[in-house]
Amino acid sequence: MASFLFRTIQSHSFLLCPTTLLRRNNGAFYCSMKSTHTQTATQEKQQPPPKIKSSPQGNQAKTRTLDRISKEYEAIIGIETHVQLSTLTKAFCTCPYNYGAQPNTSVCPICMGLPGALPVVNSKVVEFAVKLGLALNCKLSFNSKFDRKQYFYPDLPKGYQISQFDIPIATGGYLDVDLPVEYGGGHRRFGITRVHMEEDAGKLLHADDGEYSQEITFPIIYALQVDLNRAGVPLLEIVSEPDMRTGLEAAEYAAELQRLVRYLGVSNGNMQEGSLRCDVNVSIRPVGQSKFGTKVEIKNLNSFSSINRAIDFEIARQALLYSQGKADQIVQETRLWEEGSQKTVTMRKKEGLADYRYFPEPDLPEVILNKEYVDSIQSSLPELPEMKRRRYEEMGLSMQDVLFLANDINVARFFDATIGKGADVKLAANWIMGDIAAHMKNEKLTINEIKLSAAELAELIASIKGATISGKIGKEILFELMAKGGTVNGIIKEKDLVQANPSEIEKMVDKVFSENPKQLEQYRGGKTKLQGFFAGQVMKISKGKANPGLLNKILLEKLNAKS
């Protein structure tokens, strides 16, 4: 049984650390839970060097290397993804969790594992697990259970994690992914081994240079700060089949999972907050060999691009060892991805299942589902990303348009609302992907934060298509709507932006001719490039209200008429 050292217990601050970790090489680990700015675990020794900037030449060389490797070796890749659920309280107690809150302000005897404290299952965790299992096309376990996973670490106050071992809540599903057009496109289906419920651990922060040495009388190796706000936060772990073969496929699989949990509303999926964390398992084998190679796990992947680059590096590292006859040096271990140096480094030897000594959680009952409960969740599922992409394809949109629009659920909702008001599908897609997306990027806004509504975008498209206003005027109105709000018709009326009718355009053309007789004579003498000059003069007089197509038609008729 692990014992804990408690010092100066206060209402919102606890100092604790397993005593078995207190001494090492005549030194000590000192665990503190003070709120200060510190480095993360991956930065405990030094700040990372500046990021390496990739060049087109470097990317091409990397691609050539990977292409050469793929002819001799096959990569086998699987991903374990932890999704932090957007519940109001933790998995087994009533403590709330708010990212960024002051350390140790959301802890209680239950999530700290104090004697006599009993956990109670948060029903939302089960609901979200069933929802994700159904969305991943899994078979649900109508009778599942929780298990204790034993391991000892300063961020795990109980000395065990409540998880699911041999009877997960969902198994045997798949996830469909469309690869980006710029990388060749294509459709992939990746198997899902299992989805299970568990609780998160706390968070360790590594302080600089033993800054708390004045508080104790013995030497310090380094200082650990423990924040238990995250301890007990509900997670769903999604384990994929080893179906991926490249870093790109793995990154796109992870991105699709992020889209899925956001569409379902079970998690915000923010990787920078740790709401979606991926551990990648990579091995290679000579082409034609059926036996798997030695698996290596990579941690510390906090972006999709990191997943891609880390896997590509690891494939190249293992292939080099194979080619040098050193395949026995590829050992089952956990490695970290160092973003600064763009390489993986050894973290620790991989623990096996026996190390965890699983057994059924005695303080929690079985999780029993019934058909009515599952059917009600099934009927409440929204249109998922894969379904939405196929629907957009059927509308005649290109795959590039489809991937952009379906990537963000809020953009997809805005697009659907716009075409729901009768807007032309392709024109709506063009406006959203063009000027609206550019404005959001420049102003660092989401589509929910701009003041343009879907109804007004549909009205703007109709006004341009119906020749009430020109495309140029339409853009001006669009930017005003995004910045200030309002209505299309209101702005048109207020600023008198209605396009000139044919008779008005004819009068303006005649006026330009009368004011520029020399240029008119030169045009009729064969200098036809002056047509652009006349069109520009008319647009200037009309203040942009002349329809370009109609103007050019009238202009040509009058320029080519016999004098």
Side-chain angles (χ1 to χ4, degrees):
M1 176 65 70
S3 59
F4 292 86
L5 173 66
F6 291 83
R7 300 181 59 190
T8 61
I9 296 180
Q10 300 170 2
S11 59
H12 292 302
S13 181
F14 299 88
L15 305 183
L16 72 164
C17 183
T19 56
T20 53
L21 296 179
L22 279 174
R23 297 190 178 275
R24 174 175 146 192
N25 296 334
N26 298 320
F29 291 100
Y30 174 61
C31 296
S32 170
M33 303 183 66
K34 291 190 174 182
S35 174
T36 60
H37 296 290
T38 61
Q39 292 174 291
T40 63
T42 58
Q43 298 170 311
E44 65 189 55
K45 294 184 179 178
Q46 62 181 21
Q47 291 286 350
K51 291 184 180 180
I52 298 171
K53 294 183 179 180
S54 60
S55 64
Q57 294 80 6
N59 289 335
Q60 290 171 7
K62 177 183 172 184
T63 301
R64 286 194 297 270
T65 300
L66 291 172
D67 287 343
R68 186 171 65 253
I69 290 171
S70 66
K71 293 176 182 177
E72 301 177 31
Y73 303 100
E74 180 185 30
I76 309 297
I77 303 163
I79 299 184
E80 299 169 10
T81 307
H82 290 88
V83 175
Q84 193 177 94
L85 300 181
S86 297
T87 54
L88 295 177
T89 58
K90 294 185 181 181
F92 304 110
C93 67
T94 58
C95 291
Y97 175 69
N98 296 306
Y99 176 79
Q102 285 296 309
N104 305 298
T105 56
S106 185
V107 292
C108 73
I110 294 174
C111 49
M112 290 187 65
L114 298 184
L118 292 175
V120 177
V121 178
N122 184 337
S123 62
K124 271 292 180 183
V125 176
V126 178
E127 178 188 330
F128 286 177
V130 171
K131 188 175 284 190
L132 184 59
L134 291 171
L136 288 171
N137 308 288
C138 291
K139 178 183 177 182
L140 296 179
S141 299
F142 279 71
N143 288 73
S144 64
K145 64 182 176 65
F146 287 101
D147 300 278
R148 287 189 182 182
K149 179 181 180 181
Q150 315 284 330
Y151 68 95
F152 303 97
Y153 210 62
D155 62 3
L156 194 70
K158 290 184 289 194
Y160 63 86
Q161 178 190 37
I162 299 178
S163 183
Q164 290 189 296
F165 178 47
D166 54 334
I167 311 178
I169 196 164
T171 56
Y174 61 86
L175 181 67
D176 289 316
V177 177
D178 289 302
L179 299 181
V181 176
E182 59 267 30
Y183 293 105
H187 186 83
R188 300 286 189 277
R189 174 170 287 183
F190 301 118
I192 301 296
T193 305
R194 57 185 281 156
V195 178
H196 66 259
M197 301 175 284
E198 62 184 22
E199 62 179 338
D200 210 344
K203 187 175 183 181
L204 283 183
L205 302 173
H206 294 244
D208 299 328
D209 305 323
E211 61 180 288
Y212 302 120
S213 59
Q214 68 275 14
E215 298 186 18
I216 53 178
T217 59
F218 46 84
I220 301 174
I221 295 175
Y222 55 80
L224 293 179
Q225 295 179 298
V226 186
D227 178 9
L228 294 182
N229 280 348
R230 201 175 67 181
V233 169
L235 299 176
L236 292 180
E237 180 172 346
I238 304 106
V239 181
S240 80
E241 291 289 323
D243 291 344
M244 289 149 255
R245 297 294 177 264
T246 67
L248 174 67
E249 289 185 354
E252 289 302 318
Y253 163 87
E256 182 69 7
L257 264 185
Q258 184 190 63
R259 274 189 289 273
L260 185 65
V261 298
R262 286 175 172 176
Y263 269 61
L264 292 171
V266 302
S267 173
N268 62 29
N270 294 337
M271 296 187 80
Q272 69 274 17
E273 297 178 4
S275 297
L276 189 143
R277 311 193 289 271
C278 295
D279 298 335
V280 176
N281 295 299
V282 183
S283 68
I284 67 169
R285 62 187 177 188
V287 171
Q289 177 179 303
S290 59
K291 182 181 177 182
F292 286 165
T294 302
K295 179 178 66 176
V296 170
E297 183 182 41
I298 310 173
K299 288 185 177 291
N300 196 35
L301 301 171
N302 57 11
S303 70
F304 302 129
S305 60
S306 293
I307 292 172
N308 191 348
R309 294 194 303 272
I311 290 173
D312 287 346
F313 175 88
E314 187 60 25
I315 290 171
R317 184 187 75 86
Q318 294 184 26
L320 178 62
L321 291 172
Y322 261 97
S323 66
Q324 294 174 341
K326 300 177 181 177
D328 59 330
Q329 293 186 18
I330 303 173
V331 296
Q332 188 169 346
E333 63 178 340
T334 299
R335 298 176 71 87
L336 287 177
W337 171 247
E338 288 190 343
E339 190 67 39
S341 59
Q342 295 285 292
K343 66 179 182 180
T344 63
V345 295
T346 298
M347 178 185 176
R348 62 172 178 261
K349 300 302 179 186
K350 181 63 179 172
E351 296 173 328
L353 289 177
D355 296 324
Y356 294 129
R357 293 174 292 133
Y358 284 97
F359 66 84
E361 170 56 62
D363 292 335
L364 290 171
E366 290 184 333
V367 178
I368 301 174
L369 310 177
N370 59 52
K371 188 175 184 303
E372 291 75 21
Y373 177 75
V374 173
D375 288 346
S376 68
I377 294 177
Q378 178 80 66
S379 63
S380 71
L381 292 180
E383 183 181 41
L384 300 177
E386 169 68 8
M387 300 160 59
K388 197 174 287 290
R389 290 195 295 268
R390 301 289 78 83
R391 177 166 65 85
Y392 288 170
E393 268 192 305
E394 292 172 0
M395 291 179 179
L397 293 173
S398 69
M399 181 52 67
Q400 188 172 2
D401 294 353
V402 167
L403 293 176
F404 181 94
L405 294 169
N407 181 58
D408 185 325
I409 186 172
N410 293 317
V411 172
R413 285 171 177 164
F414 189 91
F415 172 71
D416 286 339
T418 302
I419 61 176
K421 294 290 184 179
D424 179 270
V425 171
K426 182 58 180 173
L427 290 177
N430 289 346
W431 280 99
I432 292 172
M433 294 173 60
D435 293 302
I436 295 175
H439 176 79
M440 291 191 299
K441 182 178 180 180
N442 293 336
E443 300 298 325
K444 297 181 180 178
L445 299 172
T446 67
I447 201 157
N448 290 340
E449 292 171 332
I450 62 175
K451 296 182 180 179
L452 171 71
S453 68
E456 289 308 313
L457 177 59
E459 183 64 34
L460 182 66
I461 293 170
S463 298
I464 296 171
K465 197 172 181 180
T468 302
I469 57 174
S470 66
K472 180 182 177 182
I473 294 295
K475 279 194 176 188
E476 294 175 6
I477 294 174
L478 176 73
F479 285 108
E480 183 168 342
L481 289 172
M482 288 193 290
K484 300 178 182 179
T487 66
V488 174
N489 291 329
I491 294 173
I492 291 174
K493 185 176 180 180
E494 177 188 346
K495 299 187 177 182
D496 189 23
L497 299 175
V498 176
Q499 283 195 135
N501 59 44
S503 62
E504 290 173 329
I505 293 175
E506 285 186 8
K507 290 177 182 178
M508 285 185 272
V509 169
D510 290 338
K511 182 180 180 183
V512 169
F513 284 175
S514 65
E515 292 175 352
N516 299 277
K518 184 178 178 181
Q519 286 81 358
L520 180 60
E521 184 179 346
Q522 288 175 340
Y523 176 90
R524 288 174 174 166
K527 202 172 181 179
T528 56
K529 290 184 179 180
L530 283 169
Q531 180 187 340
F533 165 76
F534 291 116
Q537 293 300 308
V538 175
M539 290 300 289
K540 187 176 179 180
I541 294 172
S542 71
K543 297 180 180 179
K545 291 193 287 184
N547 182 285
L550 183 58
L551 168 59
N552 283 324
K553 179 182 177 183
I554 294 172
L555 192 58
L556 279 174
E557 289 175 354
K558 285 186 172 288
L559 284 170
N560 297 326
K562 292 182 180 180
S563 54

